[in-house]
Amino acid sequence: MNTRFYNAKILRTKPNQRFEIEEGELWVQGNRISYLGKSPERKVREETTWDREIDAKGNLLMPGFKNAHTHSGMTFLRSLADDLPLQEWLFQQIFPKEAQLVPEDLYWLTALANLEYLTSGITTQFDMYFFQEEVAKACVDMGFRLVQTSGLNNFGGSIAELEEKYLKFNEYHELSSYFLGFHAEYTTSKELMEGVASLVQKYKAPLYVHNSETKQEVEDCKKRYGLSPTQFLDRLGMYDYGGGGYHCVWFNDTDINIFAHKGLSAVTNPGSNAKLASGIAPIKKMLKAGVNIAIGTDGPASNNCLDMWKEMFLVSSLAKLKDMDAAVVDGEQVLYMATAGGAKAMGLGEADCLEIGKLADLILIDLNQPNMQPINHITKNLVYSGSKQNVKLTMVNGKILYEENRFFTNLDPAEIYRKANEIVKRMK
Ligand SMILES: [Zn+2]
């Protein structure tokens, strides 16, 4: 599929987490960006056979958002058990219902999440859930890019299974990749964690895990091992080859230094952390230390929407509130976290920005709407007043999967909704 965008504004990623906007054309040939710049002469344009030539009408092409932490299959739990204390929510609502899922459910529940990602301009999800074969199948069938990690813990999974999945899903399809990982320190025995650490060492591979989401989690870890989760995982050799943590709310200065020193990524989930009253991540301190920050929605049971626009606003506003200082984080830094920062965390160096040769994971943003006018500062508009209503088109791996409120994903949205509702009705 060859697509030519013309009359476009193009968001270029610059050093130091800054952006510039250029006017011109962007060409996609196959799954990669083949040209970017001023309009070439007609003769040059006509050398290519175009499947689509899209007049962007002065709207903005930008890299797709990277959702760096989610549990997509939890779509079935959306708005089913809200406004409860965390422990009651988890043990009396979430776990008993998850136990009733069968593998095929995950195909449809993940497909539902993918539709929502596309409407929000998200082009890749970093998923931790179970029945991962069905998750991968749904994404490949729809043409959606997927990074997975394991939710291994005391209640499910084994080291042998983790190794098998790591090998399998890194070779599964060009849209699929897989990181070593496990659920969290507080759900996993020391023996099991030592097994995970041995895989990290064997494959010299990065690792991802829920880390310091709640105050209780950190206090309990200190009681058990005399160290914070970050320090304990580091002691086990888990972080010797990169990776990072999800949430990273209750980090102290030592934790932040370990993340900075080892080049780890902190994936912040402000919507989920606010809704579950977990706390606010130390964004200011992490930025100052040079930690790579990415943004995730977390699962739809704790958010409840899969919307990067809302998350960007929350990253910024909560960080400012935490320090009572409106200057702690710049809007462009947040936009960087949602795009290139996420790509870095997810091992997607080929899909981090709009450059010739990069993978064509991109979105077209409608600037001709009231919330984007006047055009004083486009990048600030994106972070502070943008919303999914501005997403005109979402392209993944060179294919348009969403355009003008319509999906082009090989699956019928009405069937996906029907299946999701059937799954919920079946639950006891
Ligand atoms: Zn999570």
Side-chain angles (χ1 to χ4, degrees), residues 69-71 128 210 213 246-247 269 298-299:
H69 177 56
T70 184
H71 311 277
M128 177 197 275
H210 290 107
E213 178 176 0
Y246 308 127
H247 298 292
N269 305 90
D298 208 2

Side-chain angles (χ1 to χ4, degrees), residues 258-296:
I258 289 171
F259 263 55
H261 181 67
K262 297 215 153 178
L264 304 172
S265 294
V267 181
T268 189
N269 305 90
S272 173
N273 296 154
K275 184 162 178 280
L276 295 178
S278 302
I280 302 171
I283 299 294
K284 178 186 173 183
K285 282 188 169 184
M286 292 196 285
L287 280 174
K288 198 161 172 236
V291 174
N292 181 54
I293 304 177
I295 304 175

Side-chain angles (χ1 to χ4, degrees), residues 30-149:
N31 65 344
R32 293 193 184 260
I33 297 168
S34 61
Y35 175 80
L36 197 156
K38 298 245 173 302
S39 263
E41 285 176 20
R42 170 176 266 200
K43 195 161 75 75
V44 179
R45 297 198 308 258
E46 287 177 352
E47 282 167 15
T48 304
T49 310
W50 298 109
D51 298 287
R52 290 279 307 274
E53 292 187 80
I54 297 173
D55 183 352
K57 296 181 178 160
N59 289 312
L60 180 77
L61 281 172
M62 61 172 282
F65 295 123
K66 313 294 182 286
N67 185 2
H69 177 56
T70 184
H71 311 277
S72 295
M74 292 178 99
T75 38
F76 78 109
L77 291 163
R78 188 199 322 262
S79 307
L80 205 63
D82 296 303
D83 315 319
L84 296 167
L86 179 63
Q87 294 300 310
E88 189 184 333
W89 174 77
L90 203 56
F91 287 92
Q92 290 177 25
Q93 297 292 332
I94 304 301
F95 290 160
K97 290 202 163 62
E98 282 183 332
Q100 299 173 56
L101 290 172
V102 297
E104 197 210 332
D105 295 341
L106 266 294
Y107 183 90
W108 298 106
L109 297 171
T110 304
L112 177 58
N114 286 346
L115 294 183
E116 192 174 355
Y117 294 140
L118 291 170
T119 63
S120 182
I122 292 169
T123 53
T124 317
Q125 53 152 319
F126 192 172
D127 192 55
M128 177 197 275
Y129 215 48
F130 38 86
F131 301 135
Q132 294 187 305
E133 173 93 44
E134 308 299 322
V135 173
K137 248 191 234 162
C139 291
V140 169
D141 285 355
M142 297 175 84
F144 197 83
R145 199 178 301 285
L146 168 73
V147 181
Q148 292 192 90
T149 188

